PDB file of all heavy atoms in Angstrom:
ATOM      1  N   GLY A  75     -18.148  21.211  15.338  1.00  0.00           N
ATOM      2  CA  GLY A  75     -19.011  20.162  15.850  1.00  0.00           C
ATOM      3  C   GLY A  75     -19.333  19.118  14.826  1.00  0.00           C
ATOM      4  O   GLY A  75     -19.986  18.168  15.166  1.00  0.00           O
ATOM      5  N   LYS A  78     -14.653  16.735  13.217  1.00  0.00           N
ATOM      6  CA  LYS A  78     -13.285  16.740  12.614  1.00  0.00           C
ATOM      7  C   LYS A  78     -12.312  16.091  13.633  1.00  0.00           C
ATOM      8  O   LYS A  78     -11.378  15.403  13.323  1.00  0.00           O
ATOM      9  CB  LYS A  78     -12.855  18.156  12.261  1.00  0.00           C
ATOM     10  CG  LYS A  78     -13.796  18.777  11.130  1.00  0.00           C
ATOM     11  CD  LYS A  78     -13.386  20.163  10.848  1.00  0.00           C
ATOM     12  CE  LYS A  78     -13.410  21.260  11.950  1.00  0.00           C
ATOM     13  NZ  LYS A  78     -14.719  21.518  12.469  1.00  0.00           N
ATOM     14  N   SER A  79     -12.393  16.663  14.857  1.00  0.00           N
ATOM     15  CA  SER A  79     -11.481  16.229  15.939  1.00  0.00           C
ATOM     16  C   SER A  79     -11.613  14.758  16.223  1.00  0.00           C
ATOM     17  O   SER A  79     -10.721  13.988  16.444  1.00  0.00           O
ATOM     18  CB  SER A  79     -11.672  17.066  17.200  1.00  0.00           C
ATOM     19  OG  SER A  79     -11.265  18.444  17.023  1.00  0.00           O
ATOM     20  N   THR A  80     -12.901  14.369  16.124  1.00  0.00           N
ATOM     21  CA  THR A  80     -13.253  12.866  16.355  1.00  0.00           C
ATOM     22  C   THR A  80     -12.464  12.006  15.394  1.00  0.00           C
ATOM     23  O   THR A  80     -11.889  11.111  15.771  1.00  0.00           O
ATOM     24  CB  THR A  80     -14.775  12.813  16.381  1.00  0.00           C
ATOM     25  OG1 THR A  80     -15.434  13.546  17.342  1.00  0.00           O
ATOM     26  CG2 THR A  80     -15.140  11.309  16.649  1.00  0.00           C
ATOM     27  N   GLN A 115      -5.077  22.107  19.085  1.00  0.00           N
ATOM     28  CA  GLN A 115      -5.319  23.615  18.932  1.00  0.00           C
ATOM     29  C   GLN A 115      -4.620  24.405  19.971  1.00  0.00           C
ATOM     30  O   GLN A 115      -4.024  25.453  19.727  1.00  0.00           O
ATOM     31  CB  GLN A 115      -6.885  23.831  19.141  1.00  0.00           C
ATOM     32  CG  GLN A 115      -7.252  25.217  18.981  1.00  0.00           C
ATOM     33  CD  GLN A 115      -8.713  25.546  18.961  1.00  0.00           C
ATOM     34  OE1 GLN A 115      -9.539  24.435  18.777  1.00  0.00           O
ATOM     35  NE2 GLN A 115      -9.277  26.670  19.020  1.00  0.00           N
ATOM     36  N   ASP A 186      -4.746  19.451  14.377  1.00  0.00           N
ATOM     37  CA  ASP A 186      -6.216  19.722  14.803  1.00  0.00           C
ATOM     38  C   ASP A 186      -6.357  21.258  15.008  1.00  0.00           C
ATOM     39  O   ASP A 186      -6.168  21.753  16.087  1.00  0.00           O
ATOM     40  CB  ASP A 186      -6.636  18.855  15.931  1.00  0.00           C
ATOM     41  CG  ASP A 186      -8.087  18.997  16.166  1.00  0.00           C
ATOM     42  OD1 ASP A 186      -8.789  19.735  15.458  1.00  0.00           O
ATOM     43  OD2 ASP A 186      -8.619  18.298  17.034  1.00  0.00           O
ATOM     44  N   GLU A 187      -6.725  22.017  14.018  1.00  0.00           N
ATOM     45  CA  GLU A 187      -6.857  23.468  14.133  1.00  0.00           C
ATOM     46  C   GLU A 187      -5.703  24.063  14.825  1.00  0.00           C
ATOM     47  O   GLU A 187      -5.996  24.951  15.831  1.00  0.00           O
ATOM     48  CB  GLU A 187      -8.174  23.706  14.765  1.00  0.00           C
ATOM     49  CG  GLU A 187      -9.287  22.990  14.045  1.00  0.00           C
ATOM     50  CD  GLU A 187     -10.660  23.696  14.261  1.00  0.00           C
ATOM     51  OE1 GLU A 187     -10.660  24.925  14.392  1.00  0.00           O
ATOM     52  OE2 GLU A 187     -11.660  23.066  14.060  1.00  0.00           O
ATOM     53  N   VAL A 218      -6.899  19.378  10.120  1.00  0.00           N
ATOM     54  CA  VAL A 218      -8.234  19.647  10.353  1.00  0.00           C
ATOM     55  C   VAL A 218      -8.488  21.179  10.653  1.00  0.00           C
ATOM     56  O   VAL A 218      -7.623  21.834  11.290  1.00  0.00           O
ATOM     57  CB  VAL A 218      -8.718  18.942  11.679  1.00  0.00           C
ATOM     58  CG1 VAL A 218      -9.859  19.591  12.402  1.00  0.00           C
ATOM     59  CG2 VAL A 218      -8.992  17.562  11.331  1.00  0.00           C
TER      60      VAL A 218
HETATM   61 MG1   MG B 393     -12.448  20.232  16.826  1.00  0.00          MG
END
Side-chain angles (χ1 to χ4, degrees):
K78 302 183 296 298
S79 294
T80 302
Q115 182 170 349
D186 190 354
E187 308 206 25
V218 156

